Amino acid sequence: MNAEPIVRISNLQKWFGMLHVLCNISLDVRPREVDCIIGRSGSGKSTLLRCINFLEEPSEGEIEIHGLRIPAGGKGREHRRLVHEARLLTGMVFQEFNLFPHMTVLENVIEGPVTVKRMDRAKAIKLGEMNLERVGLSIKRDEYPNRLSGGQKQRVAIARALAMEPRVMLFDEPTSALDPELIGEVLNVMKKLAQEGTTMLVVTHEMGFAKDAADRVLVMAEGEIIEDAQPADLFAHPKDARTQALIDRYRSGGQ
């Protein structure tokens, strides 16, 4: 993949008080690339993802998304405008689904395009229906969230993020709140998006997904990227003992 990076992270640092959570992270993500980020809990994976769309304000460094450059630590109206633009370029899927319970599935999906992008409602409905079809939930468009399984709710959350037509999709452990029998349906949707060429950054404990669907696997430990390799190379020949420990846990059936 020789295209210019769609996401470029440069010298990113994040502190929470005295705790140094991200330590000088630099990372390029190219269009149509699927990058999985793995690591032990507390390694900085989710914080990195949340810094990319400024749900967490980075302490130092710079983030560039589709040519939009945002230095860390900015203040004032211009910084808020840049952050708003960055969020329009990124779709975020969280561990929890955060659907509006009083809205139907379709209403949840079109809420962003209508209220944030000021899209014509009829156009938003067509876009919403298309994205519900992408995640296999057209038949549930008029249901309310309390009538859905956890896997279906997360697929609606993916459709909602896709409806904003982002340049890159960010997934923060999207299956961790699901019962084991429901995880596969969400991973299958993500694999389909990968096959369609969706640019994706995925924080996950699902090593099988990382092995099968990723173009690159990034391993984080103590706020740093300690390995960055193609899945076949990483799983066959990890360079760091901490990576080997993660792989051993996966192979022994742990998470």
Side-chain angles (χ1 to χ4, degrees), residues 46-76:
S46 293
T47 301
L48 173 58
L49 215 63
R50 292 170 67 86
C51 281
I52 291 173
N53 68 354
F54 287 80
L55 288 175
E56 295 286 355
E57 181 72 42
S59 303
E60 293 180 16
E62 182 179 85
I63 292 173
E64 181 178 333
I65 306 171
H66 194 53
L68 181 76
R69 298 173 63 182
I70 313 175
K75 298 274 192 294

